[in-house]
Amino acid sequence: GMAELEVYTSAVTRILNLAVTAFDAQNEDAARAVEPLETVIDELREELKDRHVQRLRTGVCTIEMGFILTDVVTDCERVADHCSNIAVCLIQTQEDGYEMHEYLDKLKEDEDPFFEQMFEEYRKEYRLPS
């Protein structure tokens, strides 16, 4: 569980650094790299929860530890969501648009090549240990 959490928090640290870089430098490339990582973080969150349930079933972990894990994962997810908001606002402002949800829907529906490439790279980089 700890090794899994290290992977997760490493991804969250990366997204935080990307969002800060995007904001500080008004760097659209860094901003565009945020959303694919946020999507990977969402997937990791679900996998962490599923793995915890498996550990509970086998007696490897306790419910009490699950409460702590849930708190940490939820708080990290909020950080990632805020980073996404910062990045999307930056992108939308530079493109004279202000529809965040429309932008995110379009990004995922249109299968943006940059999004897809970064998503796959992040997915490989932040794979949970077996």
Side-chain angles (χ1 to χ4, degrees), residues 56-107:
L56 279 173
R57 288 182 179 154
T58 59
V60 174
C61 201
T62 65
I63 291 174
E64 292 81 12
M65 292 304 291
F67 291 137
I68 295 168
L69 177 69
T70 299
D71 285 348
V72 169
V73 169
T74 299
D75 291 344
C76 285
E77 172 61 22
R78 287 182 183 150
V79 168
D81 288 342
H82 288 304
C83 290
S84 173
N85 292 342
I86 291 166
V88 171
C89 283
L90 177 75
I91 292 166
Q92 288 292 284
T93 300
Q94 290 183 357
E95 294 177 358
D96 291 327
Y98 298 97
E99 296 296 327
M100 286 180 56
H101 296 292
E102 184 179 307
Y103 169 79
L104 291 172
D105 291 342
K106 187 175 187 295
L107 182 67

Side-chain angles (χ1 to χ4, degrees), residues 14 33 36 113-123:
R14 175 111 175 248
F114 179 77
F115 178 92
E116 294 296 325
Q117 176 189 353
M118 293 304 298
F119 175 75
E120 288 305 321
E121 287 179 21
Y122 290 141
R123 198 179 220 182

